[in-house]
């Protein structure tokens, strides 16, 4: 008989105290463990981290900074939410690439506050923009046979300056991930002839075109990619032609249709039809295309495009089943966007600089290609790398930065380097390129392929980090500077108007009006003089107006009834009305005036100050913000028009400058003593009259400043400014 030892009392107690785990609990724990080990957990974690970072950065940006794009798309979304269609203050906007406006419309339906809706729009855009890491990871996983190595291009695809779009309400937040997914699908279609990946690529490009019409140029690029794939390996031409025939036909039909639209019926594209009428000189197209190609190189972190150049010189790379499809997709997409934007910039003369976001679409494929080439070093030869090195010297031709907000990559790369070495834009970029190519050469000789890919990714990531730090800093600084001269409440007009408000522009459109219009739903009309307003154009419908001899506000008959609630936002002009029943004012956003609904507004005074209200100044070349207090040139007179029911006296108060100055009204002159407050006065007759106070200075620096203009009648003082 076999004896078994008795169980220890403690073990018996544990057995009673700790019953066996239920089978369901074990299964749940097993599923959780498998989920944690899943490669998708890494991708989901990466997406969550990236989305959180860019959401914080986007919400930290205090104002829209991309004009007119952000203002246009958000206005259209707000109009859709209000049930008015694509309307901007009575003017229809023919926006054919409308997907983005539809996507953010729910934000304006859910939130009445435009500030909250704007923030929600940025969060939606950030979440969409960050999704581009998923198709890049999927493509890398297939090409590298490694979930972890596939994270290299996935991380880099959400690390460049194009991610600044997350802080903007702009179509790029949809166009970039849609185009990236389409191009990744195109690579998969070339690697798997006869599969359905090609149809997915075409469908996504059509959807991307609905988001941003520029994406249409990738349709002919896709056609070229299929053609190149047929030709790149003579041994497989017949088989690939047979497999790609449906895509060649479909993409060819798409190119024909795009050509017909461009040449015969550009009106189909709505407001974009004007661009098809451009006829720039060939020399200008080549010049701007070359500039865009240089910007593309820097946007991609410099070395990925240089490696794509080296691979293009390698027969082995073209015939390789991994690098070949990447080359066949990257180069057509890069060339198509470079030529298209070069054509546009050659004709659009106000933009005499590069625009990096216009050529970003091919960058994720370049990042995957660079990783592939480091993992398969045999595809690059010394000769091909030498060719890339020679061509990198073309960066020496890169002109100085003219618009850092659009040339973010080049400016961000060279800003600190130029400050330290004084090497300028072209030399700085060429130095960076040569150093990175030297890193590639060393890695190919001394490092294992996987380690070489990681080290190169760190080098490219360092370039992106430098670019990003400078670009985000510059954008924050610019937006914060303009935000500092605005009310704490961006919806100030909505919260003080009590109903629909009409802008009344007198001399010029205030620089802040775009933001007033952006954040305040109550601004429903805009009026200006028949000859137009100076400054930036007022978007939407602007109706002509004038005050007649009796002071009554006269508006064009096709603009509806005369408004009784006005916003005077002019930087120089100040208006007061007879019979005002309510008003509110802010030193930076002007004054809201209201008269009784049944009353036609009747002017009492219109004063035009010699020095307009200032805002910070922006330079496209340097990040230095010109403060609102910086000296400016002013007019040589303070002028005014009066509509008075009784005679009165006009009094103008000055704060003297460092030395005495003189002012003149008609035949009378006064001296404004230095560093003292002085008030001059002169009579104004009943009815309509005008006056002009001539000054012997025309600058705001070291000269007397107008403190106030007032009307005095029977012991009562009425401020006019």
């Amino acid at each position: 008989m076999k004896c078994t030892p008795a169980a220890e009392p403690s073990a018996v107690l544990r057995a009673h105290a700790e019953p066996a785990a239920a089978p369901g609990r074990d299964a749940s724990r097993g599923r959780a463990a498998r989920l944690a080990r899943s490669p998708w957990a890494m991708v989901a974690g990466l997406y969550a981290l990236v989305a959180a970072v860019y959401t914080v950065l986007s919400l930290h940006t205090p104002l829209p900074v991309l004009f007119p794009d952000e203002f246009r798309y958000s206005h259209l979304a707000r109009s859709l939410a209000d049930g008015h269609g694509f309307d901007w203050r009575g003017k229809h906007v023919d926006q054919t690439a409308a997907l983005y406006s539809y996507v953010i419309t729910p934000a304006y339906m859910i939130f009445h506050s435009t500030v909250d809706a704007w923030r929600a729009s940025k969060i939606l855009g950030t979440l969409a923009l960050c999704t581009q890491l998923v198709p890049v990871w999927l493509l890398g996983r297939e090409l590298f046979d490694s979930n972890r190595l596939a994270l290299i291009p996935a991380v880099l695809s959400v690390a460049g300056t194009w991610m600044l779009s997350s802080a903007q309400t702009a179509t790029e937040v949809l166009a970039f991930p849609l185009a990236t997914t389409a191009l990744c699908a195109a690579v998969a279609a070339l690697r798997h002839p006869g599969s359905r990946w090609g149809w997915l690529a075409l469908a996504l490009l059509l959807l991307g075109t609905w988001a941003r019409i520029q994406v249409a140029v990738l349709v002919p690029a896709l056609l070229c990619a299929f053609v190149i794939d047929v030709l790149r390996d003579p041994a497989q031409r017949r088989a690939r032609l047979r497999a790609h025939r449906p895509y060649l036909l479909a993409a060819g039909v798409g190119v024909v249709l795009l050509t017909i639209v461009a040449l015969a019926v550009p009106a189909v594209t709505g407001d974009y039809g004007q661009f098809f009428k451009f006829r720039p000189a060939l020399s200008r197209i080549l010049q701007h295309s070359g500039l865009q190609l240089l910007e593309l190189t820097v946007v991609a972190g410099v070395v990925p495009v240089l490696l794509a150049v080296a691979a293009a010189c390698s027969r082995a790379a073209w015939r390789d089943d991994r690098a070949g499809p990447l080359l066949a997709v990257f180069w057509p997409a890069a060339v198509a966007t470079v030529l298209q934007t070069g054509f546009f910039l050659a004709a659009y003369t106000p933009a005499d600089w590069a625009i990096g976001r216009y050529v970003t679409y091919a960058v994720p494929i370049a990042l995957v290609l660079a990783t592939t080439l480091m993992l398969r070093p045999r595809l690059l030869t010394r000769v091909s790398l030498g060719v890339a090195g020679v061509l990198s010297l073309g960066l020496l031709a890169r002109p100085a930065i003219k618009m850092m907000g659009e040339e973010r990559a080049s400016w961000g790369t060279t800003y600190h380097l130029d400050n330290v070495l004084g090497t300028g834009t072209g030399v700085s970029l060429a130095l960076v390129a040569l150093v990175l190519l030297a890193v590639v050469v060393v890695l190919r000789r001394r490092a294992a392929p996987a380690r070489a890919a990681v080290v190169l990714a760190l080098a490219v990531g360092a370039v992106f980090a430098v670019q990003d730090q400078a670009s985000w800093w510059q954008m924050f600084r610019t937006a914060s500077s303009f935000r500092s001269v605005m009310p704490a409440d961006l919806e100030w007009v909505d919260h003080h108007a009590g109903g629909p408000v009409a802008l009344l522009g007198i001399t010029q459109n205030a620089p802040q009006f775009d933001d007033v219009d952006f954040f305040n739903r109550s601004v429903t009309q805009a009026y200006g003089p028949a000859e137009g307003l100076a400054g930036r154009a007022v978007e939407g419908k602007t109706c002509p107006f004038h005050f007649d001899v009796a002071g009554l506000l006269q508006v064009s008959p096709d603009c509806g009834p005369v408004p009784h609630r006005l916003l005077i936002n002019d930087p120089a002009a100040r208006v007061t009305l007879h019979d005002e029943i309510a008003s509110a004012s802010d030193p930076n956003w002007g004054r809201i005036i209201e008269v009784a609904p049944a009353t036609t507004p009747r002017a009492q005074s219109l004063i035009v100050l010699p020095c307009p209200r200032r805002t910070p100044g922006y330079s496209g070349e340097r990040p230095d913000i010109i403060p609102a207090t910086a000296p400016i040139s002013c007019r040589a007179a303070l002028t005014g028009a009066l509509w008075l029911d009784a005679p009165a006296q006009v009094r103008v108060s000055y704060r003297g400058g460092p030395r005495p100055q003189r002012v003149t009204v008609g035949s009378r002159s006064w001296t404004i003593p230095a560093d003292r407050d002085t008030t001059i006065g002169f009579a104004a007759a009943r009815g309509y009259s005008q006056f002009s106070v001539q000054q012997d200075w025309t600058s705001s620096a070291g000269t007397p400043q107008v403190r106030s203009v007032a009307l005095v009648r029977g012991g009562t003082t009425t401020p006019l400014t």
Side-chain angles (χ1 to χ4, degrees):
M1 182 176 181
K2 188 175 181 180
C3 298
T4 57
E8 295 181 6
S10 60
V12 173
L13 290 175
R14 284 199 301 271
H16 285 284
E18 299 178 7
R25 184 180 302 175
D26 286 340
S28 298
R29 289 176 178 174
R31 284 194 297 269
R34 287 193 299 273
L35 182 61
R37 292 193 300 270
S38 169
W40 283 103
M42 295 188 302
V43 177
L46 174 61
Y47 175 82
L49 174 63
V50 170
V53 169
Y54 285 117
T55 295
V56 171
L57 290 173
S58 71
L59 295 179
H60 186 62
T61 307
L63 285 177
V65 295
L66 184 61
F67 182 88
D69 303 48
E70 292 193 76
F71 301 90
R72 179 186 181 100
Y73 305 132
S74 294
H75 265 286
L76 296 182
R78 193 171 79 191
S79 181
L80 286 169
D82 293 340
H84 301 148
F86 280 176
D87 179 271
W88 198 334
R89 282 195 306 273
K91 180 180 179 181
H92 175 70
V93 179
D94 200 1
Q95 180 75 27
T96 52
L99 179 60
Y100 176 70
S101 292
Y102 284 116
V103 167
I104 64 172
T105 293
Y108 286 90
M109 298 175 69
I110 296 170
F111 299 102
H112 179 75
S113 166
T114 52
V115 174
D116 291 341
W118 170 59
R119 290 171 177 163
S121 299
K122 293 200 291 183
I123 293 173
L124 285 173
T126 300
L127 296 177
L129 183 62
C130 293
T131 60
Q132 62 188 333
L133 68 86
V134 177
V136 173
W137 178 78
L138 287 172
L139 179 61
R141 183 172 71 162
E142 179 183 348
L143 294 174
F144 311 150
D145 299 322
S146 168
N147 292 318
R148 294 186 180 277
L149 288 177
L151 289 175
I152 292 175
V155 171
L156 293 178
S157 71
V158 287
T161 54
W162 56 88
M163 297 303 293
L164 270 77
S165 297
S166 62
Q168 300 168 348
T169 49
T171 56
E172 281 84 355
V173 297
L174 293 182
F176 286 163
L178 286 171
T180 296
T181 309
L183 295 180
C184 289
V187 175
L190 301 189
R191 296 197 74 240
H192 304 283
S195 66
R196 296 179 180 179
W197 288 109
W199 298 120
L200 177 61
L202 283 169
L204 289 172
L205 289 182
L206 292 177
L207 191 61
T209 301
W210 190 24
R212 182 173 179 81
I213 201 167
Q214 183 191 4
V215 177
V217 76
L218 295 179
V219 174
L222 187 60
L223 174 62
C224 291
F226 283 116
V227 172
I228 292 173
D229 192 60
V230 170
L231 300 176
R232 67 184 180 88
D233 189 348
Q236 302 183 46
R237 284 179 184 174
R238 182 170 297 179
R240 288 187 180 275
L241 177 60
R242 186 183 309 110
H244 292 334
R245 186 178 292 121
Y247 303 133
L248 290 169
L249 291 174
V253 170
V255 171
V256 170
L257 291 176
L258 289 173
T259 304
I260 292 173
V261 167
L263 298 179
V265 284
V268 171
T269 62
D271 285 356
Y272 299 105
Q274 59 179 318
F275 301 133
F276 295 100
K277 300 177 183 178
F278 289 164
R279 297 294 184 270
L282 179 59
S283 59
R284 284 186 57 83
I285 295 175
L286 295 176
Q287 174 189 349
H288 284 276
S289 296
L291 183 59
Q292 286 294 95
L293 180 58
L294 296 178
E295 190 66 17
L296 167 63
T297 303
V298 185
V299 167
V302 183
V303 74
V305 173
L306 294 178
L307 289 179
V309 170
C313 301
S314 167
R315 180 179 300 177
W318 279 109
R319 295 184 179 181
D320 184 74
D321 67 334
R322 304 187 184 194
L326 290 167
L327 285 169
V329 171
F330 168 74
W331 279 115
V335 171
T337 52
V338 162
L339 290 177
Q340 180 265 325
T341 55
F343 172 85
F344 168 74
L345 293 173
Y348 189 65
T349 53
D352 191 24
W353 48 76
I355 301 182
R357 57 193 171 93
Y358 284 2
V359 289
T360 300
Y361 302 101
V363 169
I365 300 300
L367 299 173
V368 178
L369 176 60
T371 308
T372 301
L373 294 173
M374 297 307 294
L375 292 173
R376 302 167 76 84
R378 64 178 181 80
L379 299 179
L380 297 177
T381 65
R382 294 180 180 179
V383 173
S384 63
L385 287 173
V387 171
V390 171
L391 292 180
S392 71
L393 297 178
L395 290 165
L396 292 170
R398 179 62 168 85
I401 303 299
K402 295 183 179 180
M403 182 54 68
M404 57 189 174
E406 293 288 16
E407 301 174 293
R408 293 170 183 153
S410 291
W411 178 79
T413 305
T414 61
Y415 175 64
H416 296 299
L417 191 61
D418 185 34
N419 285 341
V420 173
L421 302 179
T423 47
T425 303
V427 173
S428 297
L429 292 177
L431 285 174
V432 171
L434 292 174
V435 168
L436 290 175
L437 280 176
V439 169
V440 171
V441 172
V442 172
L443 289 174
R444 288 180 71 253
R445 290 179 178 177
R446 302 185 179 182
R451 180 172 296 179
V454 172
V455 173
L456 182 65
L458 292 174
V460 174
V463 174
F464 285 160
V466 171
Q467 295 175 353
D468 290 342
Q469 182 278 326
S471 298
W472 282 97
W473 169 73
Q474 180 268 328
M475 186 170 68
F476 288 152
R477 185 176 185 183
T478 300
S480 299
S481 297
F482 283 89
R483 181 69 180 87
S484 67
V485 295
M486 295 179 182
D489 179 11
L490 289 171
E491 297 173 89
W492 179 85
V493 176
D494 282 352
H495 294 155
H496 288 81
V501 177
L503 169 74
L504 199 69
I506 312 295
T507 65
Q508 59 180 297
N509 184 27
Q512 307 96 326
F513 177 68
D514 296 312
D515 297 293
V516 175
D517 198 23
F518 186 89
F519 289 109
N520 293 273
R521 291 176 184 260
S522 57
V523 181
T524 57
Q525 290 177 289
Y527 294 88
E531 61 273 16
L533 281 171
R536 184 178 285 167
V538 178
E539 298 290 338
K541 185 176 182 179
T542 303
C543 299
F545 88 98
H546 69 277
F547 291 112
D548 64 15
V549 176
L552 294 173
L553 178 63
Q554 303 292 332
V555 301
S556 177
D558 63 341
C559 292
V562 177
H564 67 278
R565 193 180 290 111
L566 304 173
L567 169 63
I568 312 298
N569 187 43
D570 194 291
R574 307 290 185 268
V575 176
T576 62
L577 302 178
H578 291 281
D579 307 317
E580 295 181 13
I581 62 172
S583 68
S585 62
D586 179 271
N588 295 304
W589 275 18
R591 183 167 175 256
I592 301 171
I593 316 171
E594 184 177 354
V595 298
T599 304
T600 299
R602 184 166 65 98
Q604 175 181 238
S605 66
L606 193 164
I607 308 298
V608 181
L609 300 172
C611 294
R613 181 180 70 236
R614 293 298 312 282
T615 58
Y618 171 79
S619 167
E621 301 175 7
R622 303 289 299 176
D624 305 316
I625 303 297
I626 302 171
T629 55
I632 60 170
S633 296
C634 302
R635 298 187 311 121
L638 180 154
T639 59
L642 302 172
W643 294 265
L644 304 180
D645 294 333
Q649 186 180 52
V650 178
R651 291 185 179 175
V652 184
S653 296
Y654 293 91
R655 177 63 181 177
R659 62 181 185 278
Q661 308 270 181
R662 293 190 64 79
V663 296
T664 303
V665 178
S667 60
R668 295 184 61 187
S669 294
W670 293 264
T671 297
I672 309 299
D675 300 319
R676 286 170 49 189
D677 289 337
T678 302
T679 300
I680 69 169
F682 51 90
R686 180 177 180 273
Y688 175 67
S689 64
Q690 296 181 343
F691 66 84
S692 177
V693 183
Q694 298 293 323
Q695 307 167 165
D696 67 353
W697 68 89
T698 56
S699 171
S700 66
T703 59
Q705 306 297 313
V706 177
R707 300 290 294 271
S708 66
V709 182
L711 206 63
V712 179
R713 290 177 293 197
T716 301
T717 300
T718 303
L720 302 183
T721 58

